[in-house]
Amino acid sequence: MRLLLVEDDKALGRLLKKGLEEEGFLVDWVSDGLIAQEYAKENSYEVIILDLMLPKQDGLKLLESLRKQGINTPVLILTAKGSVEDKVKGLNAGADDYLAKPFAFEELVARIKALIRRQYSITQGIITFGDVSIDIVKQRVEFKGQELDLTGMELKLLMLLALNSNKIMSKTYIAQKLYGWEDVPDSNVIEVLISRLRKKIDPHGRYIKTVKGLGYILKI
């Protein structure tokens, strides 16, 4: 799952990026509003974490601009402006949640996961198909009732497929969501990951399908 972090405080930005990546997220971190707008337009994110006091373009103007452009990615405002009036302004501008600084990192992660569940209409955070059960919140996979040992990339790929079940995704889109634009691997890396997942959870090929010339789909 890919996040856009917009934070101009370099110390905080580094800490958040490191912490969120340790939680299994892919994080793009930018420090001003204009660059953030370009990233949000050109990439697909599960959640945007947005500071309000930014150089070049402040957070509220950025948020209003994104919503006018039809970019409906969930936005979590993360700011030192914690008054009721500030929260109302942020929510009215199109934010989905608001967390004032200082904050507990655990709460930030919980709110991000809640926005992701809401976005994909997952009430309990569990996706099941066949013998597979995926806990989106705990990032845990069970196969036939036993916890499955997946590599980090296998888990990210499975969650991406599950969150976009019954939708065809190209190799390029999958690679961008898993690795980001700067580290996109050769297309055969995605093929290898798909092959490994099939062996572990779908040996008969009932769910993970290849759509020739288009990409892959998880049919549930």
Side-chain angles (χ1 to χ4, degrees), residues 110-127:
R111 286 173 181 255
I112 290 170
K113 290 180 177 178
L115 287 175
I116 292 171
R117 291 199 304 273
R118 189 187 313 166
Q119 180 184 7
Y120 292 101
S121 301
I122 306 169
T123 306
Q124 301 299 325
I126 305 291
I127 298 175

Side-chain angles (χ1 to χ4, degrees), residues 69-117:
Q69 294 173 62
I71 297 173
N72 295 316
T73 305
V75 172
L76 168 60
I77 289 178
L78 191 65
T79 180
K81 293 184 174 183
S83 71
V84 172
E85 182 181 357
D86 288 322
K87 291 180 181 179
V88 170
K89 285 181 180 178
L91 295 171
N92 285 340
D96 298 271
D97 201 354
Y98 198 111
L99 185 58
K101 300 174 183 177
F103 58 90
F105 180 74
E106 293 80 3
E107 181 179 2
L108 172 63
V109 172
R111 286 173 181 255
I112 290 170
K113 290 180 177 178
L115 287 175
I116 292 171
R117 291 199 304 273

Side-chain angles (χ1 to χ4, degrees), residues 17-200:
K17 178 176 171 64
K18 182 176 184 295
L20 290 169
E21 287 177 341
E22 289 175 352
E23 289 289 328
F25 296 104
L26 179 66
V27 183
D28 290 337
W29 170 34
V30 298
S31 56
D32 76 61
L34 292 181
I35 295 176
Q37 186 165 108
E38 292 304 312
Y39 268 67
K41 287 167 58 178
E42 295 176 4
N43 302 289
S44 175
Y45 296 101
E46 268 66 50
V47 175
I48 297 172
I49 305 164
L50 179 64
D51 188 14
L52 291 184
M53 295 181 285
L54 297 168
K56 298 185 180 179
Q57 184 180 49
D58 71 59
L60 279 183
K61 288 182 180 178
L62 169 60
L63 177 55
E64 290 170 348
S65 176
L66 294 178
R67 294 308 189 225
K68 286 178 182 177
Q69 294 173 62
I71 297 173
N72 295 316
T73 305
V75 172
L76 168 60
I77 289 178
L78 191 65
T79 180
K81 293 184 174 183
S83 71
V84 172
E85 182 181 357
D86 288 322
K87 291 180 181 179
V88 170
K89 285 181 180 178
L91 295 171
N92 285 340
D96 298 271
D97 201 354
Y98 198 111
L99 185 58
K101 300 174 183 177
F103 58 90
F105 180 74
E106 293 80 3
E107 181 179 2
L108 172 63
V109 172
R111 286 173 181 255
I112 290 170
K113 290 180 177 178
L115 287 175
I116 292 171
R117 291 199 304 273
R118 189 187 313 166
Q119 180 184 7
Y120 292 101
S121 301
I122 306 169
T123 306
Q124 301 299 325
I126 305 291
I127 298 175
T128 60
F129 60 93
D131 295 317
V132 180
S133 176
I134 307 167
D135 190 320
I136 298 297
V137 176
K138 296 180 180 178
Q139 299 192 32
R140 169 186 169 130
V141 180
E142 290 186 358
F143 182 68
K144 295 184 177 179
Q146 299 296 317
E147 185 171 1
L148 196 60
D149 184 21
L150 298 177
T151 67
M153 278 302 169
E154 288 170 352
L155 176 61
K156 288 180 180 180
L157 175 56
L158 180 57
M159 291 179 66
L160 178 64
L161 290 169
L163 290 170
N164 294 275
S165 60
N166 302 312
K167 298 177 185 177
I168 299 172
M169 292 184 290
S170 70
K171 291 179 186 177
T172 300
Y173 178 82
I174 292 171
Q176 184 234 337
K177 294 290 282 187
L178 294 184
Y179 295 93
W181 282 118
E182 296 178 358
D183 300 309
V184 172
D186 295 334
S187 61
N188 67 331
V189 172
I190 304 303
E191 293 173 7
V192 170
L193 283 173
I194 289 286
S195 176
R196 285 178 2 201
L197 266 186
R198 281 177 171 147
K199 289 178 181 178
K200 291 183 177 182

